[in-house]
Amino acid sequence: MSDFLSNFNGNNYDHRKKEKKEPYNEALEKTKQETKYEKEKDSVISQVKKRTPQEDKEIDRSYKKQKKKKRYWIITGILAITIMLGAFYYQQNYIKVPNFIGKNLTDVQVWASENRVKTKIKQSYNKKRDANTILSQEQNAGSRVKKGAVLNVTNSLGADPEEKIPLPDFMKMNKQQTEQWIKANKAENLSLIEEYSETIEKNQPIRSEIANAEVTPDNYKRKNAGKVYYSKGKQTYQRDIKVPDFQRKSRNEVETWAKNNEIDMTFEEKTSNEIPAESIIEQSISKDEKISKKEKMTVTVSLGKGYVVPNFSEYNLEDAGTALEGVQVQPKGIYTDNLPYGQLVSQSIEAGTILSSKDNLNIKVLYSLGRPYMKDLRGTMVEGGLQKYFHDEFQSKGANINYVIRRVDSDQPKGTVVGMSHFSDFVPLNLTVSIDISLGNLGSAPTSFPNNNSQSNNGENQGTSSE
């Protein structure tokens, strides 16, 4: 404390005041620094003058040695840097070539892209190497190529598709043997397809197909497509499908269920007066029983109301039309040679047949009209009515009876029937009747007609005369 206060005694205080009041003089300060430098220089010179010649010689040798060593390290450093730069440049611009033989073409392309190397690819068929596999390379593995250079490789196209490879008899080969043959011959366009079979043992051939019909096993080429089918054996399924109650359900509902569950459904049909048409009457597998896929099942579908065809011999021609309600019965009479009038000739549907709405509900029934009878048309029929008479009376009823016209001189009105080869008698089913037609050229008519006794009734044509 006393030391500190002594700084503020009278003399010190005045001296410090003077130092503070003196301004900074730059020239004076520079002079002081130069004076100090001169003093240090004179001191060094004096010390050098005091050294002996031996000391100067030792100092000179040490200096030269240090200088030489320094030069060595500088040169060494420059060489090292140059080598490093060269190595760096080489590493950056030259790339080591891998061994691509046996590798995929994609590997070459990826490597070339990453290392800025161009590729020149030669294509070649090769049975031993798969397609897109490198067969050879021009630059040896391990050598270096400059970036931007071209890498030459040969790529496999696989086996030649145009090469002929006669096919064996696949029907005598199991699946494993065929697979080995395909692999050995690179016949990759031959496909092996498996499918289930109820009759052929597993892995045994079912059939073979070649897509092009013009290709035979003898001229088959590797490029041709084909298929060989092999059995997977019998397909088995779990019995886990519960059968519903189909009673009175619609046929469409059953069909949908069978399709969704892959059931081999058979539909039988039967008439029913109780179950509506297209509804199920019965089923072969009871409800709630479990079955498997592909299992066979049968349901009976209603055809609606059934119509039992009667024996129409129990009816006559007049009553047959109303014998079966709901069915259109068409009774008809026809002439016969040996059946009495009214006897049943035939019915189009056999008695006892059950008809349904899906059947043709039209029944044709024929009854006998006996033998045909030829009326006497003389004086009562004119030529214009003959066509209708013969059709309605005979031809429409199964008798093949026709007529021919002979025009004769007569005093009857022109066109009147004045003569017939057959009349007022039963005639056969096949007959041609000769009819005389008046020319009306002989004046007034007589009171009676000749009975044509000279004409026979044996069905023979007595001839005609033209007008």
Side-chain angles (χ1 to χ4, degrees):
M1 185 68 174
S2 60
D3 294 334
F4 174 74
L5 293 176
S6 65
N7 291 326
F8 295 94
N9 61 27
N11 294 330
N12 289 335
Y13 180 75
D14 293 336
H15 177 72
R16 292 175 64 88
K17 282 182 70 179
K18 289 179 181 179
E19 289 179 350
K20 290 183 178 180
K21 289 180 180 179
E22 289 180 1
Y24 175 75
N25 191 329
E26 183 178 356
L28 180 60
E29 186 66 26
K30 186 176 181 181
T31 302
K32 288 181 180 181
Q33 292 294 335
E34 290 176 351
T35 302
K36 184 177 179 181
Y37 175 74
E38 291 296 331
K39 288 181 179 180
E40 290 178 352
K41 181 178 180 182
D42 292 341
S43 175
V44 171
I45 293 172
S46 64
Q47 290 179 1
V48 171
K49 287 180 178 180
K50 291 179 181 180
R51 287 190 305 208
T52 64
Q54 182 66 28
E55 290 176 342
D56 289 338
K57 187 176 182 180
E58 289 178 357
I59 289 172
D60 183 65
R61 289 177 178 175
S62 177
Y63 173 74
K64 288 182 178 180
K65 187 177 181 180
Q66 289 179 357
K67 189 174 182 181
K68 185 177 181 181
K69 188 176 182 180
K70 183 177 181 181
R71 186 182 299 146
Y72 168 79
W73 284 113
I74 290 173
I75 294 172
T76 303
I78 292 173
L79 289 174
I81 291 172
T82 303
I83 292 171
M84 289 176 63
L85 290 174
F88 178 77
Y89 174 82
Y90 188 80
Q91 290 289 340
Q92 292 298 315
N93 290 275
Y94 286 81
I95 187 70
K96 187 177 181 180
V97 178
N99 182 9
F100 290 115
I101 296 176
K103 294 186 178 180
N104 193 278
L105 177 61
T106 304
D107 297 333
V108 177
Q109 294 171 331
V110 171
W111 179 87
S113 176
E114 291 175 350
N115 294 282
R116 292 180 293 165
V117 175
K118 299 177 182 178
T119 57
K120 185 176 181 181
I121 301 170
K122 179 182 178 182
Q123 306 287 2
S124 177
Y125 289 115
N126 190 289
K127 185 177 178 181
K128 295 182 179 180
R129 292 284 190 179
D130 294 335
N132 294 324
T133 302
I134 302 301
L135 300 174
S136 63
Q137 61 189 77
E138 186 174 303
Q139 290 83 355
N140 295 329
S143 63
R144 289 184 177 272
V145 294
K146 189 176 181 179
K147 292 186 176 181
V150 177
L151 177 67
N152 294 279
V153 296
T154 301
N155 178 57
S156 172
L157 293 174
D160 185 357
E162 295 294 333
E163 182 183 356
K164 287 185 178 181
I165 46 174
L167 299 179
D169 187 356
F170 292 118
M171 295 298 99
K172 296 180 180 179
M173 300 167 62
N174 60 35
K175 182 184 175 185
Q176 184 178 4
Q177 291 171 331
T178 301
E179 288 174 340
Q180 292 173 350
W181 185 90
I182 290 174
K183 183 177 181 181
N185 290 274
K186 300 291 184 180
E188 297 174 354
N189 283 327
L190 275 179
S191 303
L192 298 187
I193 300 176
E194 292 184 312
E195 60 183 32
Y196 290 106
S197 174
E198 295 295 318
T199 57
I200 299 176
E201 187 180 346
K202 185 177 181 180
N203 293 329
Q204 294 304 310
I206 299 175
R207 65 186 183 279
S208 62
E209 299 173 354
I210 299 177
N212 188 342
E214 297 179 357
V215 177
T216 65
D218 294 330
N219 63 12
Y220 178 84
K221 293 182 180 180
R222 187 175 280 110
K223 69 178 182 180
N224 298 132
K227 296 177 182 179
V228 184
Y229 293 83
Y230 280 90
S231 171
K232 293 171 66 176
K234 294 182 179 181
Q235 187 173 17
T236 57
Y237 301 97
Q238 292 184 348
R239 300 177 67 86
D240 56 357
I241 301 173
K242 189 176 181 180
V243 177
D245 182 5
F246 291 123
Q247 184 77 16
R248 291 183 178 271
K249 297 290 179 64
S250 70
R251 175 171 182 157
N252 289 338
E253 186 175 344
V254 178
E255 287 176 340
T256 301
W257 179 86
K259 182 178 180 180
N260 292 340
N261 291 280
E262 299 182 41
I263 302 301
D264 186 4
M265 184 68 72
T266 300
F267 293 90
E268 295 180 351
E269 295 176 325
K270 186 170 69 173
T271 59
S272 173
N273 294 333
E274 299 176 356
I275 306 297
E278 294 297 306
S279 297
I280 304 304
I281 301 173
E282 56 190 13
Q283 58 195 73
S284 62
I285 299 177
S286 304
K287 68 173 183 176
D288 297 334
E289 189 173 337
K290 290 188 176 181
I291 60 176
S292 63
K293 288 183 178 180
K294 307 298 181 182
E295 191 164 337
K296 295 181 181 296
M297 181 176 175
T298 302
V299 294
T300 304
V301 183
S302 172
L303 292 174
K305 184 178 180 180
Y307 304 92
V308 181
V309 178
N311 185 350
F312 283 97
S313 64
E314 300 175 358
Y315 298 85
N316 57 37
L317 180 61
E318 290 74 19
D319 298 334
T322 58
L324 186 59
E325 185 179 355
V327 177
Q328 184 177 0
V329 180
Q330 299 174 335
K332 182 180 178 181
I334 62 172
Y335 290 112
T336 62
D337 277 329
N338 51 10
L339 292 178
Y341 179 89
Q343 185 172 329
L344 178 68
V345 176
S346 65
Q347 57 186 75
S348 60
I349 300 178
E350 186 179 355
T353 302
I354 301 177
L355 301 178
S356 68
S357 57
K358 293 181 67 175
D359 298 317
N360 181 8
L361 298 180
N362 292 315
I363 303 176
K364 294 181 179 181
V365 182
L366 301 178
Y367 288 92
S368 175
L369 295 176
R371 294 178 64 191
Y373 182 83
M374 180 65 66
K375 294 180 181 179
D376 187 356
L377 304 178
R378 294 175 303 167
T380 60
M381 179 72 69
V382 293
E383 181 180 2
L386 291 176
Q387 187 173 0
K388 183 177 185 303
Y389 173 79
F390 273 83
H391 175 269
D392 293 347
E393 186 63 26
F394 302 111
Q395 295 165 2
S396 65
K397 298 176 182 179
N400 185 27
I401 298 177
N402 299 292
Y403 66 93
V404 292
I405 297 296
R406 183 179 64 176
R407 304 189 185 282
V408 296
D409 297 329
S410 173
D411 58 357
Q412 295 297 312
K414 182 179 179 180
T416 303
V417 176
V418 294
M420 298 177 63
S421 60
H422 302 80
F423 62 92
S424 300
D425 196 4
F426 290 101
V427 294
L429 296 180
N430 293 287
L431 177 66
T432 299
V433 179
S434 178
I435 297 179
D436 295 335
I437 302 298
S438 172
L439 291 173
N441 58 353
L442 298 181
S444 60
T447 56
S448 63
F449 293 98
N451 60 11
N452 293 336
N453 288 332
S454 62
Q455 296 176 341
S456 65
N457 293 328
N458 58 7
E460 294 178 357
N461 190 353
Q462 299 300 318
T464 61
S465 63
S466 59
E467 202 172 53

